[in-house]
Amino acid sequence: MSLLQIKNLSVEFGSDKNPFRAVEGLDLTVDQGEIVGIVGESGSGKSVTMMAMMGLLEGQGRIVADQLEFDGKNLLTISARERRKIVGKDISMIFQDPMTALNPSFTVGYQIMEVLKLHQGLRGAALKARALELMEMVEIPAAASRLSAYPHQLSGGMSQRVAIAMAIACNPKLLIADEPTTALDVTIQAQIMELLVSLQQSQNMALILITHDLAVVAEVAQRLAVMYAGQVAEMGKVPDIFRHPTHPYTEALLKSIPEHSKGAHRLSTLPGIVPGQYDRPSGCLLSPRCPYVQERCRAERPALTPLPQGAVRCHFPLYDKESR
Amino acid sequence: MFSFILRRLGLLLPTFFGITLITFGLIRLIPGDPVEVMVGERTLDPQMHADAMHRLGLDKPIYLQYVDYLHNLATGHLGESLVTKDSVWKEFTTLFPATLELAVMAMLFAAVFGLLAGVIAAIKRGSIFDHGVMGLALTGFSMPIFWWGLILIMFFSVKLGWTPVSGRLDLAFDIAPRTGFMLIDAWLAEAADPSLNAGAFKDALKHLILPAIVLGTIPLAVIARMTRSSMLEVLREDYVRTARAKGLSPARVIFIHTLRNAMIPVLTVMGLQVGTLMGGAVLTETIFSWPGIGKWLIDAISRRDYPVVQNGILMVATLVILVNFIVDILYGIANPRIRHAK
Amino acid sequence: MANVQASPVATAADEVALSYPSPLKEFWQGFSHNKGAVAGLIFMIAIAVSALLAPWLAPYNPIEQYRDAILAPPAWMDGGTSRFLFGTDELGRDLLSRLIHGARLSLLIGLTSVVMAMVPGVILGLIAAFFPKVLGSLIMRLMDIMMALPALLLAVAIVAILGPGLINTMIAIAIVALPAYVRLTRASAMTELNRDYVTASRVAGAGLLRLMFVCVLPNCMAPLIVHATMSFSSAILEAAALGFLGLGVQPPTPEWGTMLASARDYIERAWWVVTLPGVTILLSVLAINLMGDGLRDALDPKLKRAA
């Protein structure tokens, strides 16, 4: 059985009269020790999905799903108290901007030890030793002295390492990394990714990597879900999707990676933006931007159709070119 | 931390000297004859007038007069009241505990309820409670407190008879001032001689409660509004999401991770309220016949007791800047980013 | 490589964006969104109208004493007569007439002291921003000192020197309000000075006065207007407090605070003498503060987002 199973998850914001679906009919499974990439432009619902699962939306969003199960526990019916025993321990999350993700009023050590106290009941010397061990695991130099540093005294890369140390403190079964390198310098980005992958292997965690950068996913992930406007556009194994994208949106994303457009004169871009609350088209959500758009696409929303190697949400998937 | 305190101290001194300049100038700006103003008598005899001018140092150049004034201040000579002939310093120190007791209770009342209301309003944002609290806070902020005092007296003292109308303690009790704080003195006296002074503490508390509410009303409103908006701002911060992602309880997320940071601007505002409290004390003490600094100053003004007005204002202003200095230091402790700023 | 046409959505969005509302309309939309602010505005218009038309609206001369009707209760009470709608005070003067005439004084004191504080405050603030080294820091230290004194105490001290009265009340309140204007103007002018449009005018050869008043000042107006509203309400409160202490407008002039000065003696006998002037002060100040909140929402986009 999968570690995480999500079936038909929807998240709605706004008033009852004027609802906005940030996530719509999302399916996702993650197995133990697996790296899954979730890719999409900003506003495509990647983060909201994960926040909904962890109960971080704080009553702002309405969550509906057929199934939302982690490690055999039903996250839909679980009490807030029970959920808090899982969140931060078995599922943990690291965020995009490390400079604002740490509380400026407390030392780094305090913020790491807080998790250990809460979930593992560590006290005294054992607590301090474990915090130090974690700081060393995330390769922070001079770890002992940095325990008493305040976040504003650390660089962005260091802060992200601290955030990772906090997230892996209780040996989670699933780590969600929400654009963990986007806010960092290019040289630091590679280091942090390397650290995440090596920790994932040594701790045997599952890792969900949320990113808008397909290149990162190509290097580390086994499976991939491409999201567009709150829906999964395509999902499957990484090598399959990279070799034969079946959704026009995936194809466009791949073409926008420099390494993939060798020989092209200019880097391809997809014009327009992800539709917002008020400008959702009535047909396929990609139809205003899709290069292959047909009449049926403007009239009728496609459903997610299973394929041998995954699933795709398109009336005219790219594998049967002759039907166009 | 030490150098941080020193830097703040460096800003304090010029302000203090500026205030001495104002209080020094105050007396000289009063229209009329300076001897009349200083001595409070109409000395018609020119020789006596000249003697008085010399005795008071008023025949010296103005800058030397200021140096004299500073010298007197430095050696603790704050002059004497024209009415009671007591030294201003002695009167101040006798009356100050009454004002301090009132101000501390008012601030306690304002801080406890203001923080509580602000935090709950922020958590329940948009609810009826939130709207109600914010409406009440704006009303409190708009309150003419001298009238508010009268209304409370009318209701609780006259109509219901729950609280006394004025003063600090019933005349039936005779309690020697030991600390100057009536609550403590009454408690000590009651403990020392329970038969004679039974109920003294309760009586002192009853006297204190209405003035403290009146004086605390505006700070309460300001603190509630500031706490709410500051909490809302901090609740949107990424690190609050991080705290929740750690699986911390909502209480811990609110009171440790959010409130700690939201307190920083609230603390500043609380410090600024000390000025409001001293201004409000003038009105509150007048309404409740509370024998403190505020009533003392107003009485001195109406009696044209200028030495008291001059140095009384100096003492109060010094007090206010000292409290703001302490708040600055606390601010540094609460906010590591400020403390480490070079 | 896929060659894609420009999306139709983008052009539609461009057309919508072309019809911007006028600044005034945009302001009114923001302001009227706040129901409390609109209620405050309506109340203040009513107060202003009754102040302007006081001699015609008030049923009696506010200082005329009706010895036959001393402490007459309001009309709806037992023993009240329709002759005096809100009753009379201890000298038999009609309370309603006194309250209506009192509105004139309160608005007059508020307006005058706001202007008297704002004009020099803005000029000093601009000077402090344009010459930050010597002149600026001198001005700011002076303002720090004035701010160290509690507002009401400073006002009391000034009136103690100048003597009580209407003009001196206005002067005292204006002096107390001055430092906040200087600080606010300086702070917003300093941020504007770093903007490119100021540099551009400088390069174009704009003179100092032009830079100060034509170039920079209009861009500092939003917070100043909001603050002026708030200081208008505190001016009314302070004037009333001074009147209550016997240091403000002197009797028999019908000032709201002065009317309360003697009210303490009638707590047990005549609640209307105590209650009505205070309610009038509270409602007026509340109305102005509600308007101030609405103005801030409508004028200050930064604060709007935070609220």
Side-chain angles (χ1 to χ4, degrees):
Chain A
M1 203 183 77
S2 303
L3 181 67
L4 175 69
Q5 278 190 302
I6 304 178
K7 269 212 185 89
N8 198 18
L9 170 82
S10 295
V11 182
E12 239 177 43
F13 291 97
S15 59
D16 287 331
K17 273 190 217 154
N18 197 2
F20 170 64
R21 289 210 150 174
V23 179
E24 200 173 330
L26 180 128
D27 296 342
L28 184 73
T29 57
V30 178
D31 290 327
Q32 202 140 20
E34 181 187 32
I35 303 187
V36 176
I38 301 183
V39 175
E41 286 167 271
S42 25
S44 59
K46 302 164 292 184
S47 306
V48 173
T49 307
M50 293 302 130
M51 308 254 287
M53 187 189 82
M54 291 184 72
L56 294 182
L57 294 176
E58 279 276 290
Q60 290 165 29
R62 286 179 295 282
I63 301 164
V64 188
D66 292 344
Q67 192 184 18
L68 187 57
E69 218 164 85
F70 172 79
D71 202 17
K73 293 182 188 88
N74 186 350
L75 296 178
L76 284 170
T77 53
I78 200 169
S79 72
R81 187 180 293 269
E82 285 300 311
R83 186 202 296 272
R84 287 201 301 273
K85 284 186 186 156
I86 303 172
V87 164
K89 181 167 175 272
D90 294 330
I91 316 175
S92 58
M93 190 161 177
I94 54 180
F95 299 98
Q96 181 168 350
D97 188 352
M99 299 303 266
T100 57
L102 300 178
N103 193 322
S105 290
F106 298 99
T107 62
V108 163
Y110 179 92
Q111 295 185 55
I112 295 178
M113 288 190 250
E114 191 178 26
V115 195
L116 295 168
K117 268 199 244 173
L118 177 73
H119 292 298
Q120 303 197 317
L122 291 181
R123 294 288 183 276
L127 176 64
K128 191 136 196 220
R130 173 65 179 156
L132 195 59
E133 186 191 354
L134 284 165
M135 296 277 278
E136 277 158 1
M137 276 169 75
V138 296
E139 294 158 21
I140 291 177
S145 64
R146 284 242 161 76
L147 274 177
S148 54
Y150 284 94
H152 69 268
Q153 295 165 321
L154 300 181
S155 68
M158 276 308 152
S159 300
Q160 195 60 298
R161 286 174 194 271
V162 171
I164 294 171
M166 251 156 56
I168 63 163
C170 307
N171 305 315
K173 293 175 180 148
L174 172 62
L175 176 65
I176 301 163
D178 186 354
E179 310 236 5
T181 59
T182 310
L184 301 174
D185 288 344
V186 183
T187 48
I188 312 290
Q189 285 184 2
Q191 292 176 12
I192 295 287
M193 268 326 295
E194 219 167 276
L195 174 68
L196 274 176
V197 172
S198 80
L199 285 170
Q200 182 265 337
Q201 276 162 4
S202 64
Q203 309 282 311
N204 195 28
M205 308 179 281
L207 175 65
I208 296 180
L209 185 63
I210 301 176
T211 176
H212 57 254
D213 187 353
L214 268 177
V216 171
V217 174
E219 279 171 37
V220 301
Q222 282 107 45
R223 287 195 303 123
L224 167 65
V226 177
M227 285 190 73
Y228 183 78
Q231 298 180 329
V232 171
E234 172 165 16
M235 57 196 281
K237 294 210 170 84
V238 167
D240 294 343
I241 289 183
F242 274 70
R243 228 168 291 135
H244 307 291
T246 51
H247 197 280
Y249 181 65
T250 318
E251 188 194 51
L253 280 183
L254 284 170
K255 278 186 180 161
S256 69
I257 305 177
E259 296 90 67
H260 273 254
S261 46
K262 286 194 186 93
H265 299 290
R266 288 186 61 182
L267 216 49
S268 169
T269 55
L270 197 62
I273 50 164
V274 181
Q277 179 170 4
Y278 300 108
D279 51 3
R280 291 254 159 134
S282 52
C284 172
L285 293 178
L286 189 66
S287 59
R289 301 173 75 189
C290 183
Y292 311 112
V293 63
Q294 311 265 323
E295 267 321 300
R296 188 181 164 202
C297 300
R298 296 196 206 278
E300 192 186 324
R301 277 204 190 164
L304 192 65
T305 335
L307 301 175
Q309 68 273 32
V312 67
R313 190 189 295 273
C314 183
H315 291 308
F316 308 103
L318 299 179
Y319 58 87
D320 45 6
K321 294 256 183 279
E322 54 274 15
S323 77
R324 280 174 194 281
Chain B
M1 193 66 212
F2 186 67
S3 73
F4 170 75
I5 294 176
L6 271 185
R7 277 201 309 276
R8 296 286 145 160
L9 211 57
L11 288 173
L12 192 73
L13 286 176
T15 314
F16 176 77
F17 281 111
I19 288 170
T20 60
L21 262 177
I22 290 185
T23 50
F24 171 75
L26 197 82
I27 291 294
R28 257 135 278 258
L29 284 171
I30 295 171
D33 183 78
V35 171
E36 220 174 275
V37 166
M38 288 292 197
V39 186
E41 295 161 11
R42 289 178 183 270
T43 43
L44 296 170
D45 179 22
Q47 182 55 43
M48 277 173 74
H49 187 271
D51 284 351
M53 286 288 273
H54 184 71
R55 186 160 42 85
L56 294 167
L58 293 173
D59 52 349
K60 292 185 194 169
I62 192 106
Y63 64 91
L64 280 181
Q65 289 183 34
Y66 179 61
V67 171
D68 280 352
Y69 178 61
L70 284 185
H71 180 79
N72 282 339
L73 289 182
T75 50
H77 292 101
L78 296 180
E80 282 155 12
S81 160
L82 301 179
V83 179
T84 61
K85 307 289 177 202
D86 268 337
S87 86
V88 172
W89 174 250
K90 193 181 151 232
E91 291 201 341
F92 179 83
T93 46
T94 323
L95 296 172
F96 179 63
T99 299
L100 185 63
E101 184 175 38
L102 177 59
V104 166
M105 287 302 280
M107 202 60 193
L108 215 62
F109 164 74
V112 169
F113 290 99
L115 282 171
L116 214 64
V119 168
I120 298 175
I123 300 171
K124 308 233 171 230
R125 184 186 183 185
S127 68
I128 295 170
F129 180 88
D130 181 25
H131 289 299
V133 162
M134 285 305 106
L136 281 180
L138 196 68
T139 311
F141 184 65
S142 313
M143 188 65 81
I145 63 164
F146 48 95
W147 173 74
W148 179 226
L150 291 177
I151 292 297
L152 290 184
I153 290 176
M154 195 160 90
F155 193 71
F156 289 104
S157 306
V158 177
K159 194 157 185 199
L160 296 175
W162 288 359
T163 54
V165 178
S166 65
R168 297 180 75 189
L169 197 65
D170 199 281
L171 290 172
F173 296 103
D174 183 23
I175 285 168
R178 269 194 263 182
T179 58
F181 300 98
M182 196 53 87
L183 278 184
I184 300 173
D185 283 346
W187 184 71
L188 286 176
E190 206 173 331
D193 192 349
S195 58
L196 187 65
N197 295 314
F201 178 77
K202 203 176 155 202
D203 188 64
L205 194 64
K206 272 184 171 177
H207 277 85
L208 185 55
I209 200 151
L210 280 194
I213 289 176
V214 168
L215 187 55
T217 297
I218 288 181
L220 168 68
V222 173
I223 291 170
R225 276 164 69 96
M226 193 69 213
T227 306
R228 176 180 179 271
S229 71
S230 177
M231 281 291 288
L232 284 179
E233 208 159 291
V234 176
L235 278 172
R236 268 195 300 269
E237 292 282 351
D238 285 353
Y239 55 78
V240 174
R241 187 183 55 187
T242 308
R244 286 202 267 120
K246 282 176 172 179
L248 300 176
S249 67
R252 200 174 160 83
V253 171
I254 298 287
F255 289 102
I256 307 290
H257 283 268
T258 311
L259 192 57
R260 171 83 185 251
N261 290 289
M263 274 303 285
I264 292 167
V266 177
L267 255 179
T268 318
V269 161
M270 280 185 185
L272 292 175
Q273 289 309 304
V274 173
T276 313
L277 278 182
M278 291 312 298
V282 170
L283 295 167
T284 313
E285 291 179 4
T286 306
I287 304 164
F288 290 93
S289 305
W290 190 264
I293 300 299
K295 190 168 182 306
W296 177 57
L297 283 176
I298 289 297
D299 288 348
I301 285 171
S302 58
R303 289 178 195 150
R304 306 194 163 270
D305 193 345
Y306 287 111
V308 171
V309 176
Q310 181 185 32
N311 288 325
I313 286 176
L314 176 70
M315 302 301 299
V316 172
T318 310
L319 208 73
V320 171
I321 60 173
L322 273 179
V323 171
N324 285 336
F325 169 71
I326 293 167
V327 169
D328 255 5
I329 303 292
L330 288 178
Y331 195 96
I333 292 171
N335 188 350
R337 275 168 298 188
I338 300 251
R339 200 190 320 149
H340 293 293
K342 281 277 137 48
Chain C
M1 187 181 142
N3 193 2
V4 203
Q5 294 169 343
S7 119
V9 174
T11 48
D14 285 348
E15 276 163 29
V16 173
L18 277 176
S19 57
Y20 292 112
S22 78
L24 204 66
K25 196 177 167 196
E26 200 177 23
F27 162 76
W28 178 248
Q29 277 171 352
F31 185 83
S32 60
H33 187 69
N34 187 331
K35 291 192 194 82
V38 176
L41 179 68
I42 292 169
F43 186 84
M44 277 325 286
I45 289 174
I47 291 277
V49 166
S50 53
L52 279 174
L53 306 178
W56 297 278
L57 273 180
Y60 299 97
N61 182 335
I63 55 172
E64 177 85 48
Q65 303 180 1
Y66 295 91
R67 289 305 172 114
D68 56 328
I70 284 173
L71 291 177
W76 63 87
M77 294 268 300
D78 281 347
T81 69
S82 54
R83 198 171 141 212
F84 301 109
L85 193 59
F86 281 1
T88 59
D89 66 6
E90 70 275 15
L91 295 173
R93 296 173 295 199
D94 179 44
L95 265 183
L96 178 62
S97 305
R98 287 179 72 71
L99 288 177
I100 292 176
H101 278 271
R104 292 192 135 185
L105 278 172
S106 287
L107 293 190
L108 179 70
I109 294 173
L111 276 178
T112 322
S113 55
V114 164
V115 172
M116 273 168 32
M118 195 171 178
V119 172
V122 165
I123 294 173
L124 283 174
L126 284 175
I127 293 174
F130 275 80
F131 308 100
K133 290 240 170 68
V134 181
L135 209 53
S137 51
L138 202 72
I139 291 173
M140 294 324 287
R141 281 293 82 72
L142 193 68
M143 295 304 130
D144 281 353
I145 292 162
M146 285 172 71
M147 283 200 130
L149 286 160
L152 186 65
L153 207 62
L154 184 57
V156 162
I158 293 166
V159 173
I161 299 168
L162 300 175
L166 177 65
I167 306 286
N168 291 347
T169 302
M170 292 178 195
I171 294 174
I173 292 171
I175 293 177
V176 169
L178 182 73
Y181 282 104
V182 179
R183 279 193 173 186
L184 194 60
T185 310
R186 176 177 169 272
S188 28
M190 292 283 256
T191 35
E192 293 302 320
L193 273 178
N194 289 327
R195 302 262 162 90
D196 286 343
Y197 75 90
V198 181
T199 318
S201 317
R202 267 207 181 119
V203 172
L208 181 65
L209 286 179
R210 190 180 169 78
L211 272 180
M212 273 186 176
F213 292 100
V214 180
C215 193
V216 170
L217 184 58
N219 292 297
C220 309
M221 280 320 279
L224 275 172
I225 290 172
V226 174
H227 182 75
T229 321
M230 295 302 188
S231 81
F232 187 84
S233 70
S234 49
I236 291 181
L237 271 183
E238 276 158 21
L242 285 175
F244 174 75
L245 290 171
L247 298 167
V249 181
Q250 294 300 299
T253 317
E255 200 272 332
W256 292 340
T258 313
M259 286 165 76
L260 283 168
S262 54
R264 200 184 189 287
D265 302 336
Y266 303 97
I267 280 179
E268 291 173 49
R269 287 189 283 152
W271 61 266
W272 57 93
V273 177
V274 186
T275 313
L276 295 178
V279 170
T280 318
I281 301 171
L282 175 62
L283 288 180
S284 309
V285 174
L286 183 60
I288 299 169
N289 285 339
L290 280 169
M291 274 168 65
D293 275 3
L295 277 177
R296 186 171 45 203
D297 290 354
L299 285 176
D300 203 329
K302 247 187 301 175
L303 291 166
K304 203 191 299 183
R305 252 183 282 122

PDB file of all heavy atoms in Angstrom, chain C residues 290-304:
ATOM      1  N   LEU C 290     -14.089  57.512  13.102  1.00  0.00           N
ATOM      2  CA  LEU C 290     -14.590  56.557  12.102  1.00  0.00           C
ATOM      3  C   LEU C 290     -14.239  57.045  10.696  1.00  0.00           C
ATOM      4  O   LEU C 290     -13.784  56.279   9.846  1.00  0.00           O
ATOM      5  CB  LEU C 290     -16.101  56.401  12.231  1.00  0.00           C
ATOM      6  CG  LEU C 290     -16.613  55.482  13.343  1.00  0.00           C
ATOM      7  CD1 LEU C 290     -18.104  55.652  13.512  1.00  0.00           C
ATOM      8  CD2 LEU C 290     -16.278  54.024  13.029  1.00  0.00           C
ATOM      9  N   MET C 291     -14.437  58.362  10.478  1.00  0.00           N
ATOM     10  CA  MET C 291     -14.072  58.931   9.185  1.00  0.00           C
ATOM     11  C   MET C 291     -12.580  58.763   8.925  1.00  0.00           C
ATOM     12  O   MET C 291     -12.165  58.469   7.804  1.00  0.00           O
ATOM     13  CB  MET C 291     -14.395  60.425   9.166  1.00  0.00           C
ATOM     14  CG  MET C 291     -15.810  60.750   8.771  1.00  0.00           C
ATOM     15  SD  MET C 291     -16.149  62.481   9.138  1.00  0.00           S
ATOM     16  CE  MET C 291     -15.025  63.286   8.022  1.00  0.00           C
ATOM     17  N   GLY C 292     -11.790  58.967   9.972  1.00  0.00           N
ATOM     18  CA  GLY C 292     -10.344  58.829   9.830  1.00  0.00           C
ATOM     19  C   GLY C 292      -9.965  57.427   9.393  1.00  0.00           C
ATOM     20  O   GLY C 292      -9.123  57.245   8.497  1.00  0.00           O
ATOM     21  N   ASP C 293     -10.593  56.415  10.013  1.00  0.00           N
ATOM     22  CA  ASP C 293     -10.316  55.029   9.608  1.00  0.00           C
ATOM     23  C   ASP C 293     -10.668  54.822   8.141  1.00  0.00           C
ATOM     24  O   ASP C 293      -9.933  54.169   7.395  1.00  0.00           O
ATOM     25  CB  ASP C 293     -11.110  54.056  10.482  1.00  0.00           C
ATOM     26  CG  ASP C 293     -10.389  53.744  11.782  1.00  0.00           C
ATOM     27  OD1 ASP C 293      -9.311  54.338  12.004  1.00  0.00           O
ATOM     28  OD2 ASP C 293     -10.891  52.921  12.560  1.00  0.00           O
ATOM     29  N   GLY C 294     -11.832  55.384   7.738  1.00  0.00           N
ATOM     30  CA  GLY C 294     -12.260  55.243   6.349  1.00  0.00           C
ATOM     31  C   GLY C 294     -11.307  55.945   5.393  1.00  0.00           C
ATOM     32  O   GLY C 294     -10.966  55.405   4.337  1.00  0.00           O
ATOM     33  N   LEU C 295     -10.870  57.140   5.778  1.00  0.00           N
ATOM     34  CA  LEU C 295      -9.910  57.886   4.949  1.00  0.00           C
ATOM     35  C   LEU C 295      -8.628  57.093   4.775  1.00  0.00           C
ATOM     36  O   LEU C 295      -8.069  57.019   3.694  1.00  0.00           O
ATOM     37  CB  LEU C 295      -9.573  59.225   5.610  1.00  0.00           C
ATOM     38  CG  LEU C 295     -10.513  60.384   5.389  1.00  0.00           C
ATOM     39  CD1 LEU C 295     -10.049  61.589   6.194  1.00  0.00           C
ATOM     40  CD2 LEU C 295     -10.542  60.733   3.916  1.00  0.00           C
ATOM     41  N   ARG C 296      -8.178  56.500   5.870  1.00  0.00           N
ATOM     42  CA  ARG C 296      -6.931  55.744   5.793  1.00  0.00           C
ATOM     43  C   ARG C 296      -7.081  54.558   4.841  1.00  0.00           C
ATOM     44  O   ARG C 296      -6.209  54.304   4.017  1.00  0.00           O
ATOM     45  CB  ARG C 296      -6.520  55.271   7.181  1.00  0.00           C
ATOM     46  CG  ARG C 296      -5.168  54.600   7.177  1.00  0.00           C
ATOM     47  CD  ARG C 296      -4.678  54.340   8.549  1.00  0.00           C
ATOM     48  NE  ARG C 296      -5.762  53.777   9.351  1.00  0.00           N
ATOM     49  CZ  ARG C 296      -5.796  53.833  10.663  1.00  0.00           C
ATOM     50  NH1 ARG C 296      -4.853  54.422  11.328  1.00  0.00           N
ATOM     51  NH2 ARG C 296      -6.794  53.284  11.328  1.00  0.00           N
ATOM     52  N   ASP C 297      -8.226  53.871   4.960  1.00  0.00           N
ATOM     53  CA  ASP C 297      -8.453  52.745   4.048  1.00  0.00           C
ATOM     54  C   ASP C 297      -8.455  53.216   2.603  1.00  0.00           C
ATOM     55  O   ASP C 297      -7.931  52.541   1.720  1.00  0.00           O
ATOM     56  CB  ASP C 297      -9.799  52.076   4.351  1.00  0.00           C
ATOM     57  CG  ASP C 297      -9.760  51.329   5.667  1.00  0.00           C
ATOM     58  OD1 ASP C 297      -8.668  51.262   6.247  1.00  0.00           O
ATOM     59  OD2 ASP C 297     -10.810  50.837   6.100  1.00  0.00           O
ATOM     60  N   ALA C 298      -9.066  54.387   2.366  1.00  0.00           N
ATOM     61  CA  ALA C 298      -9.234  54.829   0.985  1.00  0.00           C
ATOM     62  C   ALA C 298      -7.970  55.475   0.428  1.00  0.00           C
ATOM     63  O   ALA C 298      -7.701  55.376  -0.766  1.00  0.00           O
ATOM     64  CB  ALA C 298     -10.395  55.812   0.907  1.00  0.00           C
ATOM     65  N   LEU C 299      -7.190  56.126   1.295  1.00  0.00           N
ATOM     66  CA  LEU C 299      -6.058  56.904   0.786  1.00  0.00           C
ATOM     67  C   LEU C 299      -4.741  56.152   0.814  1.00  0.00           C
ATOM     68  O   LEU C 299      -3.863  56.411   0.007  1.00  0.00           O
ATOM     69  CB  LEU C 299      -5.889  58.180   1.614  1.00  0.00           C
ATOM     70  CG  LEU C 299      -6.896  59.286   1.348  1.00  0.00           C
ATOM     71  CD1 LEU C 299      -6.661  60.430   2.313  1.00  0.00           C
ATOM     72  CD2 LEU C 299      -6.777  59.774  -0.072  1.00  0.00           C
ATOM     73  N   ASP C 300      -4.588  55.271   1.776  1.00  0.00           N
ATOM     74  CA  ASP C 300      -3.279  54.671   1.969  1.00  0.00           C
ATOM     75  C   ASP C 300      -3.294  53.205   1.563  1.00  0.00           C
ATOM     76  O   ASP C 300      -3.702  52.354   2.328  1.00  0.00           O
ATOM     77  CB  ASP C 300      -2.873  54.816   3.438  1.00  0.00           C
ATOM     78  CG  ASP C 300      -1.376  54.728   3.581  1.00  0.00           C
ATOM     79  OD1 ASP C 300      -0.757  54.015   2.776  1.00  0.00           O
ATOM     80  OD2 ASP C 300      -0.832  55.360   4.483  1.00  0.00           O
ATOM     81  N   PRO C 301      -2.861  52.921   0.335  1.00  0.00           N
ATOM     82  CA  PRO C 301      -2.945  51.543  -0.144  1.00  0.00           C
ATOM     83  C   PRO C 301      -2.110  50.577   0.690  1.00  0.00           C
ATOM     84  O   PRO C 301      -2.462  49.411   0.838  1.00  0.00           O
ATOM     85  CB  PRO C 301      -2.429  51.611  -1.573  1.00  0.00           C
ATOM     86  CG  PRO C 301      -1.929  52.983  -1.795  1.00  0.00           C
ATOM     87  CD  PRO C 301      -2.253  53.820  -0.626  1.00  0.00           C
ATOM     88  N   LYS C 302      -1.029  51.074   1.268  1.00  0.00           N
ATOM     89  CA  LYS C 302      -0.176  50.183   2.044  1.00  0.00           C
ATOM     90  C   LYS C 302      -0.910  49.706   3.283  1.00  0.00           C
ATOM     91  O   LYS C 302      -0.916  48.556   3.623  1.00  0.00           O
ATOM     92  CB  LYS C 302       1.101  50.920   2.468  1.00  0.00           C
ATOM     93  CG  LYS C 302       2.350  50.363   1.816  1.00  0.00           C
ATOM     94  CD  LYS C 302       3.582  51.014   2.386  1.00  0.00           C
ATOM     95  CE  LYS C 302       3.565  52.512   2.179  1.00  0.00           C
ATOM     96  NZ  LYS C 302       4.646  53.233   2.784  1.00  0.00           N
ATOM     97  N   LEU C 303      -1.563  50.671   3.969  1.00  0.00           N
ATOM     98  CA  LEU C 303      -2.287  50.312   5.182  1.00  0.00           C
ATOM     99  C   LEU C 303      -3.515  49.489   4.848  1.00  0.00           C
ATOM    100  O   LEU C 303      -3.952  48.665   5.621  1.00  0.00           O
ATOM    101  CB  LEU C 303      -2.706  51.574   5.919  1.00  0.00           C
ATOM    102  CG  LEU C 303      -1.545  52.345   6.521  1.00  0.00           C
ATOM    103  CD1 LEU C 303      -1.974  53.731   6.921  1.00  0.00           C
ATOM    104  CD2 LEU C 303      -0.986  51.605   7.716  1.00  0.00           C
ATOM    105  N   LYS C 304      -4.059  49.732   3.652  1.00  0.00           N
ATOM    106  CA  LYS C 304      -5.246  48.997   3.258  1.00  0.00           C
ATOM    107  C   LYS C 304      -4.956  47.499   3.227  1.00  0.00           C
ATOM    108  O   LYS C 304      -5.714  46.689   3.699  1.00  0.00           O
ATOM    109  CB  LYS C 304      -5.684  49.464   1.872  1.00  0.00           C
ATOM    110  CG  LYS C 304      -7.155  49.208   1.589  1.00  0.00           C
ATOM    111  CD  LYS C 304      -7.497  49.429   0.152  1.00  0.00           C
ATOM    112  CE  LYS C 304      -7.242  50.841  -0.316  1.00  0.00           C
ATOM    113  NZ  LYS C 304      -7.643  51.050  -1.700  1.00  0.00           N
TER     114      LYS C 304
END
